[in-house]
Amino acid sequence: MAETLILGIESSCDETGLALVALPDSGPPRLLSHALHSQIDMHQAYGGVVPELASRDHIRRVVPLARQVLAEAGRAMSDVDVVAYTKGPGLAGALLVGAGVACALGAALGKPLLGVHHLEGHVLSPFLSVDPPEFPFVALLVSGGHTQLMRVDGVGRYELLGETVDDAAGEAFDKSAKLMGLPYPGGPHLSKLAATGRSDAFELPRPMLHSGNLDFSFAGLKTAVRTHLVRLGWLDQAAILSATENQAVLADLAASTQAAIVEVLVKKALAALKATGLKRVVVAGGVGANKLLREQLDRACARRGVRVHYPELHLCTDNGAMIALAAAMRLQAGLATLSTEPAFDVKPRWDLAAL
Ligand code: KG4
Ligand code: ZN
């Protein structure tokens, strides 16, 4: 059976992700191999992503990771039929590294390129899970840079229902965690600390919970966390924050913060399901790895007869597999724009609904 071999390259932020996906003439795409290099350790010292360092590191990693995924799948570079890369949104310099390498490989192999929308990758990533969704569904996209609710009727058919008016959910985790003296990226660290805390210990706002629309706002939450730390006299007090005797109080604040973010996400997702009448929801993006979000959404949806789908845990955060998969699903749907032209038209800002 003939199949199309797609090499996926993700380099939009602080992870270099490479993957190989095989698209058969009929049937779903298969992930053959994927490899990831996370730059978290490098950026941790700065408390956030340093774009210039991110770009330089992507340059070092892309080709060795490409060789690794080919070796793991037992394929040669010349077997690749399509080179897919993240075209946007993301950091311009970082995107240009992926696009530049894709361009060079395409030219050397005489194979076409396919620029992929990073968020489409996230939204479609649950199709690689053991329990893939079916269209249509509501997508709750919760990453470090985006928080959106979408109605998804098929590949390329994305209707924006609501989005954050300020910080993203991942940013709310990251910024609150930073205030609490936790390392970057804050989401997983805050969530780990929260596991031992009481979620009702601190009063925190649930921004826009009753706004009557499907938009979000998380900037006020971070400010409220800051206010609690000021009251405790702990703001910018690294020694106090790390003192063992204060860890229980900090765990309470972490648990209260996580509970506020999760409650807003779950209630808005339920509101989107109600508004659309759909009975299926897909959660995608880094915050989709959050255990409390999964527990609460599962419980609320089970009560309403709604199916919930997640990407595999290791495919929640940025990776090359979702980029190769999105390319495969676009090709399958007859929506792919293949190009043999040099691919230097990255889109650091790019609206998914405009696809
Ligand atoms: O999707 P992603 O890898 O990158 C973007 O496209 O932005 O998401 C990264 C975000 C970060 O804000 C990180 O703190 C958050 O996902 N995150 C989590 C967890 N794991 C990652 N937030 C809460 N709980 C987690 N377990
Ligand atoms: Zn992402």
Side-chain angles (χ1 to χ4, degrees), residues 118 122 143-145 170-171 173-174 185-188 191 285-287 289-290 316-318:
H118 179 82
H122 275 305
S143 70
E171 250 177 311
F173 271 107
D174 294 345
S191 158
V287 181
N290 186 268
C316 277
T317 45
D318 295 346

Side-chain angles (χ1 to χ4, degrees), residues 139-156:
L140 173 64
L141 182 66
V142 275
S143 70
H146 294 83
T147 298
Q148 298 184 334
L149 276 163
M150 267 172 293
R151 182 191 164 103
V152 180
D153 285 295
V155 178

Side-chain angles (χ1 to χ4, degrees), residues 18-22 28-34 128 314-315 319-322 324-325:
L18 272 290
L20 271 183
V21 160
R30 293 184 337 270
L31 178 62
L32 301 183
S33 56
H34 81 106
L128 284 176
H314 64 285
L315 298 182
N319 62 83
M322 69 184 197
L325 173 78

Side-chain angles (χ1 to χ4, degrees), residues 39 42-43 46-55 91:
Q39 302 177 350
M42 185 179 76
H43 296 295
Y46 306 93
V49 178
V50 183
E52 175 67 21
L53 296 183
S55 308
L91 302 170

Side-chain angles (χ1 to χ4, degrees), residues 139-201:
L140 173 64
L141 182 66
V142 275
S143 70
H146 294 83
T147 298
Q148 298 184 334
L149 276 163
M150 267 172 293
R151 182 191 164 103
V152 180
D153 285 295
V155 178
R157 295 171 64 195
Y158 310 113
E159 182 195 341
L160 186 66
L161 302 172
E163 64 182 333
T164 183
V165 298
D166 42 51
D167 290 352
E171 250 177 311
F173 271 107
D174 294 345
K175 289 180 176 173
S176 302
K178 194 172 182 181
L179 288 167
M180 292 178 211
L182 300 172
Y184 172 84
H189 291 282
L190 188 146
S191 158
K192 198 167 161 221
L193 181 62
T196 57
R198 291 170 301 135
S199 58
D200 58 354

Side-chain angles (χ1 to χ4, degrees), residues 108-131:
L109 300 169
K111 295 292 164 63
L113 310 175
L114 207 166
V116 172
H117 196 296
H118 179 82
L119 299 183
E120 182 170 50
H122 275 305
V123 168
L124 298 179
S125 61
F127 282 91
L128 284 176
S129 73
V130 288
D131 178 30

